[in-house]
Amino acid sequence: MDVTHARPGPTPAIPTARTPRWTDESLLTIQGLRIDYGRGAEAKTAVDGVDLTIRRGEIVALVGESGSGKSTLAKSIIGLLPAAAHRGAGSISLGNLTLTNAREKDLEKIRGVRISLVPQDPGASLDPVKTIGSQLAEVFRLHSSGPRRSRESIRSEVIRLLDLVGIDEPEKRLKQYPHQLSGGLKQRVLIAIAFSLRPELLIADEPTSALDVTVQAKILEVFERLATEFGTAVIFVTHDLAVATDHAVRIVVMRRGRILEDRLVADILAAPEHEYTVRLLEEAAPHSSPTATRAVGTTAPDGPLAVEVRGLVRDFTRAGEQHRAVDGVSFSIARGTTFALVGESGSGKSTTARMILRLLDPGAGKVLIHGQDVTSASRREKRELWKHLQLVYQNPDSALDPRLPIRDIIGEPLRNHRIGSRATRARRVAELLDQVNIPSHLADERPPALSGGQRQRVAIARALALGARTLVLDEALSALDVLTQAQILDLLAHLQRDLGLTYLFISHDLHVVERISSTVGVMHRGKLVETGPTNEVFGNPTSDYTQLLLNSNPGHRLRAHASTRSGVAALATT
């Protein structure tokens, strides 16, 4: 069985106490905290005079855009700030223990025992050369207390933990390596490791941002059950307000290092006090957003085709077993429109995109780009194809060379294809910077000096450098906060209108898909199970799997609240 593409099993029923095992007792107290990066005149304040209290068993969401200070605040609690950061003022206490001036060796005794961290990227956090069982067992060996436990006792506890976080066949998983697990299963392993010693406080830093909606829902249910059953307090760091409103008790809204609001979810939904919170709510619930702009082109769906795929098939062989990743997929994209592919991890959507880009050979089927059959394109023909068909990657941090200035990154395709003189290339780079709304003075900066949204704009500019007419955007917005997502969506809409671009948009974020796409295809286990106009597929799905995706889509409370407000507004005008 290829577990990489297997859907996680159902979360096991974990008994919940009739009444929570926590009270109003304060667990974490932060007073007047200031965290600076650098010193002297060059110092930048990331956390500015924060006061925060977390009670036992409480799930609190730290929400804000990139650079708001939420991750810095979370890491300061567990003492994992980078060397450049230092506390300028304030204090942090866990119960009656002061963490502010704790020595590193004292913090090591606390981490994992009283405070645990669930990091964002499970792929980078798990050791690829150790089995899942050995990595979980290591926690008990590193933090041994009391009588020495037998190997069999530790094994039983590891199996119990894997079962607790909803991992199917836990005995089988013990001998598997991280690469054999899906993203959702790896994230559950990290939660099991973090919870293994029953910490009082669990810090989850963007733990579901890279997961599809069905897996995300199951992961967040685990956090809720741990908090309810064991009284574990959870600080959930996220840029996704839709997720926060569904699962948190309180929401703490941060911006520029300061807390703007710290209130119960129901209170924030009913009457947000700060204009910034209102903007977050509007962008998190597209139906209620007055600024929502769908990037739908003017070309009719039955007009000239930019992309056409017919019966695409692709098999992979792993451990001697053959797995069909893409199974007879056919669809077309009219020029100047946006077609979205959605589905869970392992559904085959990215493999389909790689075949369209001719980065991967189909086992069967055809690929036509702007009417030209490129299925058997030679290396030279592919090089010509890539002038018109380009990919925008998920993570601009890994896609952009941190050593090069922005002007060289954008101009690199022009140099590689030996297009124009140095002067004409410089003019083209300046034109591209203007098209993606990047100030010209940033041309000499390097990627680390730019925000996440600016880096993604650079990636889009580079993709357009050779005059591409079709862009494949593979999870290109998943690492961005909702306000930055909105800005990039508006940019894509304007570029589509101005340049007549066609987009193949791959995403697990149904909110974004609904906003950007004119048509959508839903993939499941390699097959295209449903396709059609986005409003029809999402409004009246014919596939049970599409309905499952829609039911798992976060933001239920936001949508319900927006619907209520719309109903009240309609009554007021009658």
Side-chain angles (χ1 to χ4, degrees), residues 480-507:
L480 305 176
D481 61 79
V482 290
L483 295 182
T484 306
Q485 279 184 353
Q487 293 166 6
I488 299 299
L489 285 171
D490 286 341
L491 170 67
L492 291 172
H494 289 136
L495 289 173
Q496 188 172 63
R497 284 194 295 268
D498 295 344
L499 305 178
L501 298 178
T502 303
Y503 299 139
L504 171 57
F505 191 83
I506 297 169
S507 179

Side-chain angles (χ1 to χ4, degrees), residues 154-334:
I154 292 176
R155 183 178 185 276
S156 298
E157 182 65 12
V158 168
I159 291 173
R160 188 192 70 81
L161 284 165
L162 292 177
D163 184 66
L164 180 69
V165 299
I167 292 181
D168 61 329
E169 302 180 285
E171 293 91 345
K172 177 182 176 180
R173 308 295 185 188
L174 296 180
K175 297 180 181 179
Q176 292 180 334
Y177 292 87
H179 73 273
Q180 296 176 285
L181 306 183
S182 68
L185 288 178
K186 283 187 280 195
Q187 194 61 278
R188 290 180 191 224
V189 170
L190 286 179
I191 296 172
I193 291 173
F195 190 70
S196 57
L197 301 177
R198 299 277 180 89
E200 300 165 68
L201 176 64
L202 200 61
I203 300 172
D205 190 0
E206 298 280 7
T208 61
S209 62
L211 303 178
D212 56 72
V213 290
T214 53
V215 177
Q216 182 184 73
K218 292 182 175 69
I219 294 294
L220 293 170
E221 284 173 9
V222 172
F223 285 125
E224 290 183 355
R225 295 182 183 206
L226 295 179
T228 303
E229 173 68 9
F230 301 104
T232 302
V234 179
I235 297 178
F236 182 54
V237 181
T238 181
H239 64 254
D240 191 335
L241 198 57
V243 171
T245 54
D246 277 355
H247 297 277
V249 175
R250 280 165 54 209
I251 290 181
V252 177
V253 180
M254 290 192 69
R255 190 185 190 199
R256 296 173 182 171
R258 296 187 176 185
I259 291 178
L260 302 184
E261 295 199 49
D262 178 1
R263 303 162 66 210
L264 296 174
V265 170
D267 293 340
I268 280 187
L269 285 176
E273 293 179 345
H274 200 281
E275 180 185 354
Y276 177 72
T277 309
V278 174
R279 289 173 56 204
L280 288 178
L281 288 169
E282 287 176 347
E283 295 300 344
H287 287 304
S288 64
S289 174
T291 61
T293 305
R294 187 175 288 175
V296 179
T298 56
T299 304
D302 58 352
L305 298 179
V307 178
E308 185 179 7
V309 297
R310 303 173 185 168
L312 282 188
V313 173
R314 176 69 194 201
D315 295 329
F316 290 102
T317 302
R318 292 190 180 94
E321 294 184 7
Q322 193 173 66
H323 167 74
R324 178 147 291 184
V326 176
D327 190 1
V329 167
S330 301
F331 62 84
S332 59
I333 312 174

